[in-house]
Amino acid sequence: MTGNQKPNRVVVIGGGYAGALAANHVRMRDDVAVTLVNPRPKFVERIRLHQHVAGNYDATVGYDTLLADDVRLVVDTATRIDAATRTVELASGDTLDYDYLIYAVGSTGAVPASVPGATEFAYPLAEFEQAERLAARLQDVPLSAQMVVVGAGLTGIEAASEFAEAGRNVVLVGSKLAPSMSAPARRSVAKALAKLGVTVIEGDVSSITANRVTLADGRFISSAVTVWTAGFGTPELAAASGLRTDELGRLLTDETLTSIDDPRIVATGDAAAPSGQPLRMSCQASSPLTVTAVGTVLSRIAGTEPAPLDPVFAGSCTSLGRHAATIQIARKDDSSTNYYIGGRVGAKLKEAICKGTLWGIRRAANKPSAVFVMKGGKRAERLAEAVTA
């Protein structure tokens, strides 16, 4: 960048996996000034919150170890995006000007009001504050007291396993165990849960009280603490800013992840809905989404045509305590194959994947172009064109 040239101001809203990676990765051009806005002063390893609650891992990491020195961190909450004036309004009363905005607000735990008692008595486990609240509650609950985890997807399985391994009496409830996995992988998960002493009950929850979970068929389960992991929502920032969203509040974009309402707003992570068909909410999806989003911003700066999203999935994984895991191998389109990796080998691989997420963010801080993502097309070549133009 020449001495009298003004930098392109890029504001990233949200400092999770997608946002932190985007803030580091977009620095591939030297005429970019990056500001990251996040409500917390530390990065939260969301995929380890079940460990945080169980007390065997601190799921927070200092941003000073993740972000490049030239990324400005603003600890505040974005309350409104004014696309007309290209400003972001903050809860503190301050505003940030931008030339391009990367919308990376992520997702939140969603406890449905349609289930009587759920919002009053269930403990979600999708955000750091929710994990802290649950951990505090468990301090007053004896290990022998029965607790219920609602939601038999990957998050629920991980939570139930972690609590059981810590010595708790756990019941896992859901309409189907590990529905995103193949039958062989589900059997692997069921076997590991049984070994840990987790009771699995299939059924839909109809109501919750302080000490009971009732199922739609009339059965009830005693519960000293009920944890809710069934489903996610997204922050309301986009809708509150007059930007169009899908039914869950994800920002509607085209295939380059550009907002259908404004060409200078680009989305990534769980809060993006490309062509109204969002990817599975996951840490894994954040990398291809972020590479595409950053490529779109850099292409707009360079005046070149941005490339569309072309993700390739490898699979999904769920930890089963500290000594086992199931890694589901998937096709490019995220559909499950009958192949999986389980047991202790799976646990080692799962741990490597968790560590690798932070390693990837740090690597991009040191070398902005060094972002690994599986590709199905010609993203690398198109991104190189945008950087060098």
Side-chain angles (χ1 to χ4, degrees):
M1 184 173 68
T2 60
N4 57 0
Q5 182 181 359
K6 290 185 178 181
N8 292 280
R9 300 163 299 181
V10 177
V11 171
V12 181
I13 303 179
Y17 295 102
L21 183 62
N24 286 335
H25 188 35
V26 78
R27 298 163 43 254
M28 283 191 291
R29 291 185 66 105
D30 62 5
D31 59 351
V32 169
V34 186
T35 299
L36 176 66
V37 181
N38 194 67
R40 306 179 187 92
K42 289 187 176 183
F43 178 89
V44 175
E45 289 188 75
R46 186 174 177 183
I47 57 178
R48 292 189 185 268
L49 284 178
H50 56 288
Q51 289 184 252
H52 188 89
V53 174
N56 62 43
Y57 190 88
D58 180 359
T60 60
V61 181
Y63 277 110
D64 58 340
T65 71
L66 292 178
L67 299 177
D69 292 340
D70 55 349
V71 173
R72 177 191 175 200
L73 174 65
V74 174
V75 180
D76 209 331
T77 299
T79 56
R80 184 173 178 272
I81 301 164
D82 189 331
T85 62
R86 295 180 197 162
T87 58
V88 178
E89 299 173 6
L90 305 177
S92 64
D94 292 338
T95 59
L96 295 172
D97 299 321
Y98 67 85
D99 296 302
Y100 296 92
L101 185 142
I102 298 179
Y103 188 78
V105 298
S107 55
T108 61
V111 180
S114 58
V115 177
T119 55
E120 294 90 348
F121 301 111
Y123 289 76
L125 184 57
E127 298 183 34
F128 180 73
E129 292 78 12
Q130 295 170 348
E132 287 277 88
R133 176 172 169 258
L134 176 57
R137 174 70 181 97
L138 289 177
Q139 292 294 317
D140 299 325
V141 177
L143 290 176
S144 60
Q146 183 167 279
M147 66 182 298
V148 174
V149 176
V150 179
L154 304 186
T155 302
I157 290 167
E158 291 194 325
S161 301
E162 209 72 41
F163 302 152
E165 192 170 78
R168 292 195 173 275
N169 179 6
V170 183
V171 176
L172 177 64
V173 178
S175 56
K176 183 178 181 180
L177 180 65
S180 64
M181 290 187 166
S182 64
R186 285 198 298 272
R187 287 194 291 270
S188 171
V189 170
K191 182 179 178 180
L193 289 171
K195 187 175 181 180
L196 287 168
V198 176
T199 300
V200 178
I201 297 178
E202 291 193 351
D204 296 318
V205 173
S206 62
S207 66
I208 297 173
T209 66
N211 53 20
R212 175 183 290 188
V213 173
T214 302
L215 303 184
D217 60 9
R219 289 177 294 170
F220 65 86
I221 309 164
S222 297
S223 179
V225 178
T226 301
V227 181
W228 190 278
T229 68
F232 295 95
T234 54
E236 299 178 352
L237 176 61
S241 303
L243 301 170
R244 281 177 283 180
T245 65
D246 69 4
E247 66 280 358
L248 285 184
R250 291 170 290 209
L251 185 68
L252 289 176
T253 74
D254 62 16
E255 285 298 307
T256 70
L257 300 183
T258 303
S259 166
I260 62 174
D261 296 309
D262 193 290
R264 290 181 179 262
I265 299 176
V266 179
T268 183
D270 288 351
S275 300
Q277 297 180 329
L279 303 184
R280 171 169 54 89
M281 289 185 177
S282 64
C283 179
Q284 179 183 185
S286 67
S287 291
L289 286 166
T290 298
V291 168
T292 300
V294 166
T296 294
V297 170
L298 297 180
S299 293
R300 300 247 188 261
I301 294 173
T304 59
E305 188 68 23
L309 178 67
D310 189 18
V312 175
F313 283 88
S316 58
C317 51
T318 184
S319 63
L320 295 152
R322 295 299 87 214
H323 307 292
T326 296
I327 313 296
Q328 171 68 68
I329 309 302
R331 302 177 183 87
K332 172 188 173 181
D333 64 358
D334 202 27
S335 61
S336 297
T337 70
N338 284 329
Y339 299 100
Y340 72 93
I341 302 170
R344 289 184 177 272
V345 175
K348 290 182 179 179
L349 181 56
K350 176 66 159 61
E351 180 63 20
I353 291 170
C354 290
K355 290 181 178 178
T357 58
L358 296 187
W359 175 84
I361 295 171
R362 291 188 176 111
R363 188 171 184 231
N366 295 323
K367 186 179 179 181
S369 61
V371 175
F372 172 78
V373 60
M374 296 178 68
K375 307 176 185 71
K378 296 184 177 181
R379 273 226 40 84
E381 291 85 347
R382 298 293 292 274
L383 189 54
E385 291 175 4
V387 175
T388 57

